[in-house]
Amino acid sequence: MISRRDFLGQAGLLVASGALAEAAFTGGGRAYEETLPPESKFLERAKALLKKAPFIDTHNDLPSMFLETRAGDLTSFDMGKVQPTLCADIPRLREGCVGAQYWSVFVESGTQKTHTSLHEALREFDVALRFIRSRTELEQARSADDIERIHQGGRIACLLGVEGGHMIENSPAALRTFHELGARYMTLTHWANVDWADAATDEPEQQGLTEFGKRVVKEMNRLGMFADISHVSADTMKDTLRVTRAPVIFSHSNAFAIAPHPRNVPDDVLGMMPKNGGVVHVNFIGAFVSPKTAEFDERRKAAVRQLHMRFDTDKEVVAGMAEWEKANQAPRGTISDVADHIDHIREVAGIDNIGIGADFYEATGTPMVTGLENVTRYPFLFAELLRRGYSDDDLLKIAGRNHLRAMRQMEGIAAELQKSEQPLITEG
Ligand SMILES: [Zn+2]
C-alpha cells in the first residue's frame, strides 16, 4: 500500500488525466517555520480551559503511521517518550492538553478495487487497539460518559473513527462489527466515491446517497455511531442531513467560503447544522485552510498539463513537477487563517456547532499550517481565539463540550431506536 502522503502527492499528477479533477496537493519538503508564541496571558488561560473542557480532537492518523513505518510492530516505539518519526506520542499529547483523541482507522479508497478494504481495516483496528491497551496513560472510551470519566481519572480517552465507508464492503454486518470494536464515527467516503455515496473529490455518480446509503446512515443512527460527512460531496452532505435522525459530525473539515476547496463545507450546509445539532471539527491542513490554495492548485494543474504535453513518461512528469515545486511554494496557511474558519462557521452555523479535528498524519508537520505543526500546538490556536474575544464558555464548547453534547444526543436517539427498529441485514 502506498502511504497516504504519497497518495496525496500522486493525486496531483492524476489531475491532467481527469481522474481527480479537484485533487488536493499538500506540498512537501517545506521547512519547519517557527512562529512567535502567543501572549502568555492568553496561552496560559487557553491551556487551563483545554484541560477543563476536556479537549477532544476527532482525527489523528497515528494507527496508519504504525503500520507504514514498522508494519505495526509497537515494540519499536517507546510511546512514553517523544517519537520524532510519528505524529503523536504521550508526552506531546499531554503538552497539547489532549483529553480525548479519536484515532483514525484509515484505508486507501483504492482498496475497493482489490476487495481488500475490510482486511486492511481490521489491521488498522488491531494496531489501534493494541496501542491503546499497551499504555496505562490511555483508556478506550465508548461513550460520552466514558470520555469524562477517563479524563477525570487523569488518562487520555481514546476513541476510534473509520475514515471511509468503503471499509464495510457494502455489509451492514461489518458496520456493526466496527461499532462493537469501538468505532464511534464512520466517514461515509474517503477520496473516491463508494458504491452508495459520492465523495467531494471524485466525479459525481449517485448525486449524493443511494437508497442503500440512506439505510447505512439510518443503521448508524440505530447503532449509536456518528455519520461523519467530511470528505463527501455537498449532495451527500445534504442527503445525509435529510435522512439522519441524530446529529452528524464533520470530523475534519473547514469552511468553503474561506478556502474554496471541495473538501470544505459550503455555507448552505453550514446553515443546516444548528437544526441537526451536529459539529464541524476544523482541521489544520494547509491545503484546506489557506484561502490561497485554490489559485495555487490551478497554477499547479496547468503546470502538470504542460508537462504531460512535453513528456511521454510519468517519470519525466514527476521529475518536472519536483522542479516546479521547488520554485513554487504551496501556500501554507497560518493560525490566524484557522481562526478565520472558526469565525466563519460561528457566523453561519453557530458557536454550538464547532469543534477541532486537526488531522495530524505525518511526522514533520509540514502539511499543517504554520504554528500548528504538531499535537503540542493546540493551545496556540485557542490563545488566538481568546485574543479575538472568544469567552471562556465559547472555548470550552469548541474544545469538547459541543462534541460531548452531540454525542449524548446521538447515544440517546440510538437507545430509543433500538427499542423499535430491527438491525439492517440487507447487504448493499
Ligand atoms: Zn481525511
Side-chain angles (χ1 to χ4, degrees):
M1 262 176 40
I2 60 166
S3 75
R4 177 189 171 118
R5 187 179 176 191
D6 289 345
F7 171 74
L8 285 170
Q10 287 177 15
L13 296 178
L14 294 172
V15 166
S17 67
L20 283 167
E22 298 290 347
F25 170 65
T26 59
R30 285 165 298 178
Y32 187 105
E33 293 163 52
E34 196 50 68
T35 32
L36 288 175
E39 263 185 78
S40 65
K41 65 172 178 182
F42 294 132
L43 190 58
E44 292 316 310
R45 203 166 119 216
K47 284 182 183 170
L49 290 164
L50 287 174
K51 282 176 189 159
K52 189 173 155 193
F55 172 55
I56 303 169
D57 176 286
T58 48
H59 204 87
N60 183 301
D61 278 297
L62 183 65
S64 291
M65 293 206 80
F66 285 138
L67 290 175
E68 283 168 11
T69 56
R70 290 281 195 285
D73 176 12
L74 296 179
T75 62
S76 324
F77 304 104
D78 180 355
M79 297 303 284
K81 297 201 173 105
V82 171
Q83 297 297 306
T85 62
L86 296 175
C87 63
D89 47 58
I90 290 164
R92 287 187 295 170
L93 289 167
R94 292 278 197 211
E95 193 183 335
C97 307
V98 176
Q101 181 66 61
Y102 278 82
W103 302 111
S104 177
V105 169
F106 168 72
V107 171
E108 298 286 353
S109 294
T111 54
Q112 290 178 102
K113 296 190 190 107
T114 49
H115 301 285
T116 49
S117 306
L118 182 54
H119 175 101
E120 290 302 315
L122 291 178
R123 293 182 67 218
E124 291 266 333
F125 271 106
D126 170 66
V127 79
L129 291 171
R130 282 192 288 119
F131 165 56
I132 295 165
R133 286 162 194 178
S134 73
R135 301 295 315 186
T136 54
E137 302 93 333
L138 310 176
E139 185 179 335
Q140 187 178 7
R142 291 171 171 274
S143 64
D145 284 353
D146 277 356
I147 292 176
E148 289 191 325
R149 173 184 56 76
I150 293 165
H151 174 250
Q152 276 156 18
R155 288 183 303 281
I156 299 170
C158 294
L159 299 102
L160 301 173
V162 176
E163 189 179 19
H166 53 288
M167 279 176 260
I168 66 169
E169 297 198 352
N170 298 338
S171 167
L175 179 68
R176 281 189 290 277
T177 306
F178 289 175
H179 182 266
E180 284 292 332
L181 291 171
R184 288 299 175 268
Y185 72 73
M186 183 172 80
T187 323
L188 301 186
T189 75
H190 188 248
W191 214 259
N193 297 342
V194 298
D195 291 338
W196 43 271
D198 283 349
T201 43
D202 202 346
E203 299 295 331
E205 281 179 90
Q206 314 291 349
Q207 325 304 326
L209 287 175
T210 64
E211 281 313 307
F212 179 71
K214 290 173 188 167
R215 295 178 82 177
V216 169
V217 170
K218 288 183 173 175
E219 180 65 359
M220 293 173 80
N221 294 157
R222 195 194 63 82
L223 275 173
M225 195 194 281
F226 281 119
D228 173 18
I229 48 176
S230 282
H231 276 290
V232 306
S233 72
D235 283 339
T236 305
M237 293 174 196
K238 288 174 198 165
D239 276 354
T240 306
L241 284 161
R242 273 192 283 269
V243 298
T244 185
R245 284 86 53 91
V248 301
I249 60 165
F250 288 85
S251 69
H252 56 306
S253 289
N254 302 335
F256 187 90
I258 302 293
H261 189 288
R263 267 286 280 109
N264 290 341
V265 189
D267 277 356
D268 56 345
V269 175
L270 288 178
M272 295 166 82
M273 295 310 285
K275 187 161 169 255
N276 169 265
V279 183
V280 184
H281 299 79
V282 168
N283 72 52
F284 301 169
I285 296 181
F288 307 140
V289 169
S290 171
K292 297 177 191 143
T293 297
E295 180 269 340
F296 177 82
D297 280 349
E298 285 308 313
R299 280 198 293 123
R300 189 173 186 280
K301 277 184 222 167
V304 174
R305 276 193 294 272
Q306 278 183 347
L307 287 167
H308 273 289
M309 283 192 285
R310 251 175 77 198
F311 298 116
D312 293 330
T313 68
D314 279 355
K315 205 177 156 196
E316 288 168 304
V317 174
V318 169
M321 278 317 290
E323 282 302 307
W324 187 89
E325 274 155 18
K326 262 185 228 159
N328 296 272
Q329 284 248 318
R332 177 112 183 238
T334 61
I335 295 176
S336 177
D337 289 333
V338 177
D340 288 348
H341 283 269
I342 293 173
D343 281 352
H344 183 81
I345 297 167
R346 177 178 196 162
E347 233 165 76
V348 182
I351 190 68
D352 295 327
N353 306 96
I354 313 169
I356 303 293
D359 197 6
F360 288 105
Y361 68 91
E362 59 102 273
T364 67
T366 48
M368 316 310 274
V369 304
T370 308
L372 299 173
E373 289 89 352
N374 62 59
V375 297
T376 68
R377 290 300 182 90
Y378 296 106
F380 279 38
L381 172 63
F382 283 83
E384 169 63 13
L385 296 178
L386 287 172
R387 196 189 64 77
R388 290 184 182 207
Y390 281 63
S391 70
D392 287 7
D393 203 45
D394 296 337
L395 252 67
L396 290 169
K397 285 182 172 184
I398 297 170
R401 294 197 177 169
N402 287 339
H403 187 88
L404 287 173
R405 187 259 314 141
M407 193 170 188
R408 287 202 164 94
Q409 254 176 285
M410 186 265 289
E411 291 167 353
I413 289 162
E416 277 308 303
L417 291 173
Q418 282 168 22
K419 291 177 193 162
S420 56
E421 278 184 19
Q422 292 301 312
L424 173 66
I425 52 170
T426 317
E427 305 259 318

